[in-house]
């Protein structure tokens, strides 16, 4: 698990507009409105909104968002070009992605309930915009958006999340905060201001430098070391400053001192900074000419050298999200085909150890699923052979996945993988200072077998370790490991954290003559240990080798098959059993056990070795020391008492053989019973697994439908609020006209009326639903009911002048009630007071 692949994100292709992806689910309408309401009309950003929707209903989201922003809000269509200062909304039942500055709609590949439309959008933004991509996760249930934010973060983009305490449904924000590198967390209405501040120039880069930036940087690295147990002080200061400046911009800070105070008050920021430093950008077959040379020239030589039945071992240090490790496995598979055709025998298998410091990158690599860009990077033939379609991307085929073992590993602090045939460390050393480079290159040389291959990045060289490596092609940075011997004592093994250097100095030139800071006492102790201390290994109670001192190759050797660093497996046949007995005895009796003159070979005819097994100062650990092997000869005296015990040992051996035979018979019978029980349990486990998968699928489908219903309910509630407001407006409008109006349904029953009607017809709220003929009125109009029915039957307009019992005149108009769909739903009767007009008319006639 080496250090992560610390590579700066590749610059994205020029784009005319920067895109902000907004993802929400249940309870997301309110935060969407709050976010968009804060957007100025000239931000220069385009906004793409994805919300979980019911695919069987027409969406109202576009109409609802138009009320909160002055920007145009458009429902997305396939091929629509993104424009700045506009909002684009996903339609129901579609997956929305961004490619080349255009929107793309595709039918969902997953069944309803398992769809992750927000992840799809964010992944496409990361692939299309790289470091310019922006993703925002708002309220919602489930975990949609988390993987998409991871992709944006790894591409160097900005990731924002609504603070869970302000979200109506906090599951989506909480998942994003737990598993994705989130840059900004705030309430929905505050996210836009924080985003615009982060898009400005990074803080701390102006002319007004902080008073003591080196001291502040030291304080930040110290807290990072205490929080993560990883020391980044050996990184180039320029690299660290560039990554920290990005965090300064996110928080709107102006100096390293202010950021140091922030991480002191908010330790969770250290996790975000650590992930920021670990951002790695890689791809399949990056620098194709290097991989072609590795396949056509280097790999055939390695395959020819490996004995039959032995694995070819490779280590990819800083594998990031796994593309380079899988590329190496594909190159081996293609070279193995050529080897089989050339020699007529199977090629040696490959075991790739791929490691990185970033747990997020390792998780992605282990999953082995990548986006649609894989098809362009590997080509159609490799795509068909080594990948399988998965969602909108591709998953690594099982045959390729089985060849790669991913692990988290720190190349600075953790022991390296050894006995390697190939070591790939590309674009990692360039981020380390000169002192760390001088320490790591001999370590790489020790890890490789003589004749192994070292692959570096295009900007990296072996520097002062030229005696260990011979260039194959300096341009492609491929090197053979030379046969020059290198003792383990000359290598600085990273087995424990080293004390941090409190000062930061500029990188020194790569020079072998650079003075060392090691004390004379340490130098003397190392020289004495190398000259006089015996070869030894440190093991635990199970015999696992934890540390190697000196050269132990004469006594221990790796076993064939899967790598196994256990002394019981690696010990030479002649000493394997005595060492196991001595280790058990030392553990039980807590004392040193001496084993003089053990034969290395079963026949005991060549050499003998003295072995000492002693408890180490730390409980549970033991030191197994080997004295240099001595040749055996007939004249050499044998240890005292050896002849006298031979007969007793032979008798004990025969007794042990009989016991072993009996135990073997019992073991075979038990194995048969266990096999039957195991098969039954496996069958039951398969059934339970199937039932569990069905229940999980049902749960996810129910959760998705619940989210869609929540979204629909929120939209309908908003519509109801609008309708209630419109009803109030209409009621006030009718009352303000002071015109008596009566609404009747198709059965001429009262449906609604205005206040002035009560002066003519005795009505109150409880009369809603009563027939018109049952109502008492002051009108001298007995034909009112008949005229209303006539209007309803013929749809003709009726108008009459009618008097009242108190001497007033009214113009009565009866018209059909038409809906927006042009359906007749009753009649509308209006009563207009014309008493004044009639009185004026009467006076004019009399005059």
């Amino acid at each position: 698990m080496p250090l992560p692949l610390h590579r700066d994100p590749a610059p994205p292709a020029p784009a005319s507009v920067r895109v902000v992806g907004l993802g929400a689910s249940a309870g997301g309408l309110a935060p969407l409105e709050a976010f968009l309401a804060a957007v100025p009309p000239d931000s220069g950003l385009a906004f793409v909104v994805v919300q979980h929707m019911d695919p069987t209903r027409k969406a109202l989201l576009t109409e609802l968002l138009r009320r909160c922003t002055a920007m145009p809000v458009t429902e997305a269509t396939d091929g629509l070009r993104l424009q700045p200062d506009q909002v684009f909304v996903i339609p129901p039942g579609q997956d929305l992605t961004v490619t080349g500055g255009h929107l793309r709609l595709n039918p969902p590949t997953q069944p309803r309930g398992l769809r992750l439309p927000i992840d799809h959008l964010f992944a496409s933004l990361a692939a299309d915009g790289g470091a310019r991509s922006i993703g925002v996760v708002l309220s919602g249930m489930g975990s949609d958006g988390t993987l998409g934010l991871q992709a944006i973060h790894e591409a160097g983009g900005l990731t924002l999340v609504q603070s869970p305490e302000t979200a109506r449904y906090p599951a989506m924000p909480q998942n994003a905060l737990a598993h994705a590198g989130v840059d900004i967390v705030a309430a929905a209405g505050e996210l836009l201001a924080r985003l615009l501040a982060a898009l400005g120039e990074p803080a701390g880069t102006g002319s007004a430098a902080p008073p003591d930036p080196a001291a502040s940087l030291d304080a930040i690295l110290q807290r990072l070391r205490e929080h993560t147990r990883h020391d980044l002080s050996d990184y180039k200061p320029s690299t660290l400053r560039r990554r920290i400046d990005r965090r300064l911009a996110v928080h709107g800070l102006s100096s390293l001192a202010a950021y140091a105070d922030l991480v002191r008050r908010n330790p969770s920021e250290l996790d975000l900074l650590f992930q920021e430093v670990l951002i790695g950008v890689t791809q399949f077959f990056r620098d194709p000419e290097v991989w072609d040379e590795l396949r056509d020239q280097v790999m055939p030589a390695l395959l020819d050298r490996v004995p039959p039945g032995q694995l070819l071992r490779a280590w990819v240090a800083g594998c990031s999200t796994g593309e380079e490790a899988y590329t190496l496995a594909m190159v081996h598979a293609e070279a193995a085909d050529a080897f089989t055709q050339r020699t007529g025998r199977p090629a040696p298998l490959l075991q790739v150890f791929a490691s990185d410091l970033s747990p997020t990158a390792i998780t992605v690599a282990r999953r082995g699923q990548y986006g649609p860009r894989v098809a362009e990077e590997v080509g159609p033939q490799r795509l068909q052979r080594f990948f399988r379609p998965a969602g909108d991307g591709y998953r690594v085929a099982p045959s390729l996945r089985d060849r790669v073992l991913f692990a988290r590993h720190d190349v600075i602090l953790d022991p390296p993988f050894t006995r390697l045939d190939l070591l790939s460390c590309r674009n990692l050393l360039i981020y380390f200072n000169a002192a760390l480079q001088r320490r790591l290159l001999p370590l790489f040389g020790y890890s490789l077998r003589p004749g192994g291959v070292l692959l570096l990045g295009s900007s990296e060289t072996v520097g002062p370790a030229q005696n260990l490596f011979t260039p194959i092609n300096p341009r492609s940075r491929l090197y053979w490991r030379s046969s020059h011997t290198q003792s383990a004592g000359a290598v600085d093994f990273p087995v424990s954290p080293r004390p941090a250097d409190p000062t930061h100095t500029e990188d020194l030139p790569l020079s072998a003559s650079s003075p060392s800071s090691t004390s004379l006492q340490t130098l003397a102790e190392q020289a004495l240990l190398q000259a006089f201390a015996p070869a030894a290994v440190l093991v635990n109670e199970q015999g696992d080798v934890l540390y190697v001192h000196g050269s132990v190759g004469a006594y221990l050797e790796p076993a064939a098959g899967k790598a196994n660093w256990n002394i019981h497996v690696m010990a030479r046949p002649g000493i394997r059993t005595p060492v196991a007995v001595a280790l058990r005895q030392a553990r039980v009796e807590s004392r040193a056990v001496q084993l003089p003159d053990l034969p290395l070979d079963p026949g005991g005819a060549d050499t003998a070795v003295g072995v000492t097994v002693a408890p180490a100062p730390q409980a549970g650990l033991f030191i197994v020391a080997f004295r240099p092997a001595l040749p055996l000869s007939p004249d050499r005296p044998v240890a005292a008492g050896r002849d006298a015990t031979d007969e007793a040992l032979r008798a004990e051996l025969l007794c042990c053989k009989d016991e072993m035979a009996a135990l073997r018979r019992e073991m075979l019978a038990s194995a048969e019973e266990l096999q039957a029980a195991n098969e039954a349990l496996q069958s039951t486990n398969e059934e339970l697994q199937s039932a569990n998968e069905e229940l999980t699928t049902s749960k996810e489908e129910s959760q998705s439908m619940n989210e869609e219903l929540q979204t629909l309910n929120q939209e309908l509630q908003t519509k109801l609020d609008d309708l209630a407001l419109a009803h109030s407006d209409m009621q006030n409008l009718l009352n303000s006209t002071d015109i008596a109006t009566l609404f009747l349904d198709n059965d001429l029953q009262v449906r609604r009326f205005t206040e002035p009607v009560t002066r003519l017809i005795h009505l109150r709220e409880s009369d809603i639903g009563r027939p018109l003929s049952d109502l008492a009125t002051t009108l001298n109009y007995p034909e009112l009911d008949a005229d209303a029915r006539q209007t309803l039957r013929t749809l003709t307009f009726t108008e009459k002048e009618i008097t009242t019992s108190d001497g007033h005149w009214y113009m009565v108009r009866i018209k059909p009630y038409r809906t927006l769909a042009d359906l007749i739903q009753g009649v509308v009767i209006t009563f207009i007071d014309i008493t004044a007009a009639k009185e004026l008319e009467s006076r004019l006639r009399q005059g």
Side-chain angles (χ1 to χ4, degrees):
M1 319 171 188
L3 264 180
L5 191 57
H6 305 316
R7 302 171 183 165
D8 278 301
S16 58
V17 60
R18 194 160 188 175
V19 184
V20 178
L22 295 167
S25 183
L29 180 60
L32 280 172
E33 292 177 338
F35 183 95
L36 293 176
V39 179
D42 57 349
S43 68
L45 302 172
F47 300 88
V48 180
V49 178
V50 171
Q51 188 174 24
H52 294 178
M53 298 180 179
D54 184 351
T56 63
R57 295 180 177 272
K58 182 181 183 299
L60 306 174
L61 185 60
T62 302
E63 302 173 8
L64 297 177
L65 293 182
R66 285 174 179 156
R67 306 177 313 172
C68 65
T69 177
M71 295 183 293
V73 181
T74 307
E75 187 171 87
T77 57
D78 190 50
L80 182 65
R81 182 171 183 81
L82 289 166
Q83 300 292 336
D85 303 316
Q86 292 192 25
V87 181
F88 303 88
V89 180
I90 185 174
Q94 296 287 325
D95 277 345
L96 177 62
T97 56
V98 174
T99 304
H102 292 79
L103 296 174
R104 296 297 178 190
L105 294 177
N106 295 289
T109 56
Q110 297 294 329
R112 184 180 177 184
L114 303 179
R115 300 169 185 169
L116 301 173
I118 303 175
D119 280 336
H120 290 163
L121 172 67
F122 287 179
S124 70
L125 289 177
D128 190 65
R132 293 171 55 85
S133 54
I134 303 171
V136 183
V137 168
L138 302 173
S139 171
M141 295 187 290
S143 61
D144 194 11
T146 298
L147 294 178
L149 284 188
Q150 288 178 0
I152 291 177
H153 182 73
E154 290 164 7
L158 276 173
T159 54
L160 299 88
V161 168
Q162 180 184 1
S163 53
E165 59 272 12
T166 66
R168 183 177 179 185
Y169 295 92
M172 274 173 45
Q174 288 172 345
N175 271 286
L177 289 173
H179 301 100
V182 179
D183 296 319
I184 298 173
V185 182
E190 302 171 4
L191 285 174
L192 193 278
R194 299 282 298 275
L195 170 62
L196 295 179
L199 293 180
E201 289 298 321
T205 58
S207 58
D212 190 1
S216 300
L217 183 60
D218 288 338
I220 294 170
L221 295 180
Q222 175 65 25
R223 293 194 176 275
L224 193 63
R225 180 164 52 249
E226 295 171 354
H227 187 75
T228 66
R229 299 188 300 277
H230 294 289
D231 186 6
L232 303 183
S233 59
D234 286 322
Y235 277 58
K236 291 181 179 178
S238 58
T239 299
L240 294 172
R241 280 299 306 269
R242 187 165 58 251
R243 301 303 172 89
I244 294 176
D245 281 346
R246 184 177 161 84
R247 300 303 304 166
L248 290 173
V250 167
H251 292 286
L253 301 177
S254 59
S255 67
L256 280 177
Y259 188 69
D261 183 63
L262 173 67
V263 300
R264 180 184 58 81
R265 292 182 288 101
N266 185 14
S268 61
E269 171 65 20
L270 292 169
D271 294 321
L272 301 178
L273 175 60
F274 189 59
Q275 290 297 326
E276 185 73 40
V277 177
L278 302 190
I279 289 177
V281 175
T282 182
Q283 65 182 55
F284 291 97
F285 292 94
R286 191 179 186 183
D287 301 326
E289 62 280 356
V290 175
W291 297 107
D292 291 342
E293 185 172 354
L294 186 66
R295 179 194 59 200
D296 300 334
Q297 299 182 28
V298 177
M299 195 63 72
L302 293 177
L303 294 174
D304 289 334
R305 189 191 67 183
V306 176
Q310 184 174 320
L311 285 173
L312 192 68
R313 294 165 56 86
W315 177 21
V316 178
C319 67
S320 188
T321 49
E323 287 90 333
E324 187 169 301
Y326 290 126
T327 298
L328 180 59
M330 285 187 275
V331 166
H332 167 267
E334 295 171 354
D337 294 342
F339 177 87
T340 302
Q341 294 178 359
R342 175 166 53 87
T343 62
R345 58 188 177 90
L349 297 177
L350 173 70
Q351 176 67 68
V352 179
F353 301 96
S355 54
D356 199 281
L357 186 57
S358 170
T360 303
I362 289 296
T363 300
V364 175
R366 283 175 176 156
R367 188 182 305 115
Q369 184 168 343
Y370 302 95
R373 195 170 56 180
V374 172
E376 302 176 4
E377 296 175 356
V378 304
Q381 294 181 350
R382 288 175 176 140
L383 186 69
Q384 182 178 6
R385 178 179 179 182
F386 298 114
F387 292 88
R388 302 292 180 267
D392 60 349
Y394 300 91
R395 185 184 294 273
V396 173
S399 59
L400 192 68
R401 177 64 183 86
D402 293 342
R403 300 268 64 85
V404 186
L405 174 65
F406 291 100
R408 192 181 180 198
H409 180 280
D410 188 338
V411 75
I412 299 178
L413 300 179
D414 298 328
F417 297 89
T418 56
R419 307 190 318 279
L420 301 172
D421 298 287
L422 191 148
L423 196 161
S424 174
C425 181
R426 307 186 67 211
N427 300 326
L428 176 62
L429 296 180
I430 58 175
Y431 295 98
F432 299 153
N433 61 29
L436 182 56
Q437 291 181 20
R438 288 195 300 272
R439 185 165 71 86
L440 289 180
L441 286 168
L443 188 70
F444 290 164
Y446 182 82
S447 300
L448 286 165
R449 293 189 175 111
V453 176
L454 175 66
L455 174 59
L456 298 178
S458 58
S459 301
E460 299 166 335
T461 64
V462 294
Q466 295 178 0
N467 60 328
L468 295 176
F469 301 100
T470 303
I472 302 174
N473 184 344
R475 182 175 182 181
S476 57
R477 297 298 189 265
L478 281 163
Y479 301 88
W480 292 115
R481 167 68 164 87
S482 67
S483 57
H484 174 72
T485 58
Q486 181 184 218
S487 66
V491 180
D492 186 2
F493 282 96
V495 294
S496 61
R498 299 175 293 107
D501 183 3
T503 60
H504 283 273
T505 58
E506 294 298 323
D507 295 340
L508 299 176
L510 289 174
S511 171
S513 62
S514 182
S516 173
S517 62
T518 309
S519 67
L520 294 177
Q521 179 183 353
T522 304
L523 289 174
E525 289 174 353
Q526 290 182 355
L528 290 172
L529 287 173
Q530 295 173 26
F532 300 106
V537 293
L538 181 68
V539 300
N540 58 18
E541 294 181 350
Q542 291 74 36
D544 297 324
V545 177
L546 305 179
Y547 182 73
V548 178
H549 173 75
S551 177
V552 297
Y555 322 112
L556 305 177
E557 60 182 2
K562 187 177 180 180
N564 189 348
W565 277 65
N566 189 283
I567 195 170
H568 302 306
V569 177
M570 300 175 63
R572 297 285 290 271
I575 64 174
R576 184 174 301 160
T577 302
V579 167
V581 174
L583 184 60
R584 183 166 56 252
Q585 185 178 354
R587 183 176 69 249
V588 173
E589 300 178 5
S590 300
R591 66 176 182 87
V593 179
Q594 301 286 341
L595 299 175
D597 297 333
L598 295 178
L600 286 175
D601 297 322
D606 295 324
T607 56
V609 61
V611 181
T612 300
V613 181
Q618 183 175 349
L621 301 181
F622 301 87
I623 296 175
V624 182
F626 305 93
R627 291 194 300 273
L630 300 174
L632 291 176
S633 65
D635 299 332
R636 184 181 171 198
V638 184
R642 187 168 181 176
D643 292 336
T645 59
D646 282 350
E647 290 300 326
L649 290 175
R650 291 193 184 93
E652 186 179 355
L653 179 61
L654 291 175
C655 181
C656 290
K657 286 183 177 179
D658 293 338
E659 292 179 1
M660 288 174 60
L663 291 173
R664 185 176 291 109
R665 288 191 295 270
E666 294 179 7
M667 182 187 68
L668 291 175
S670 299
E672 292 178 357
E673 296 176 0
L674 291 174
Q675 180 66 24
N678 182 50
E679 291 177 356
L681 288 174
Q682 286 183 352
S683 175
T684 303
N685 181 62
E686 289 295 331
E687 295 174 1
L688 292 175
Q689 182 68 24
S690 177
N692 182 58
E693 291 176 355
E694 293 178 3
L695 289 174
T696 301
T697 302
S698 300
K699 176 186 175 183
E700 293 175 347
E701 291 177 351
S702 300
Q703 179 175 326
S704 176
M705 294 184 67
N706 187 36
E707 292 180 9
E708 294 171 359
L709 290 174
Q710 291 283 353
T711 301
L712 181 61
N713 179 64
Q714 192 171 5
E715 293 180 355
L716 292 177
Q717 185 61 47
T718 303
K719 274 291 186 183
L720 288 175
D721 294 341
D722 292 344
L723 290 175
L725 181 62
H727 178 266
S728 299
D729 293 343
M730 184 60 66
Q731 190 68 35
N732 282 277
L733 174 63
L734 291 174
N735 291 334
S736 66
T737 60
D738 200 29
I739 297 176
T741 307
L742 179 64
F743 296 88
L744 305 176
D745 60 15
N746 286 330
D747 296 325
L748 297 187
Q749 295 175 347
V750 177
R751 185 162 59 191
R752 184 177 293 114
F753 58 90
T754 61
E755 185 65 24
V757 170
T758 59
R759 296 196 296 264
L760 301 175
I761 302 175
H762 303 302
L763 283 172
R764 52 187 175 181
E765 290 295 331
S766 59
D767 291 330
I768 299 296
R770 289 187 61 185
L772 177 64
S773 58
D774 292 352
L775 301 176
T777 176
T778 61
L779 294 170
N780 298 319
Y781 191 6
E783 300 86 6
L784 177 61
D785 185 86
D787 288 349
R789 294 186 182 278
Q790 177 70 16
T791 299
L792 188 62
R793 184 174 59 255
T794 62
L795 306 181
T796 57
F797 172 78
T798 301
E799 182 177 274
K800 291 184 178 180
E801 296 179 353
I802 303 297
T803 62
T804 63
S805 58
D806 56 359
H808 285 76
W809 284 84
Y810 284 87
M811 176 70 71
V812 180
R813 294 175 180 171
I814 307 176
K815 298 179 65 176
Y817 181 97
R818 296 180 182 271
T819 66
L820 295 177
D822 200 26
L823 297 177
I824 303 301
Q825 295 288 343
V827 296
V828 180
I829 305 176
T830 57
F831 304 88
I832 303 174
D833 191 348
I834 58 173
T835 303
K838 282 293 185 179
E839 291 176 351
L840 177 61
E841 180 183 354
S842 176
R843 288 196 298 270
L844 290 174
R845 286 179 178 175
Q846 292 176 1

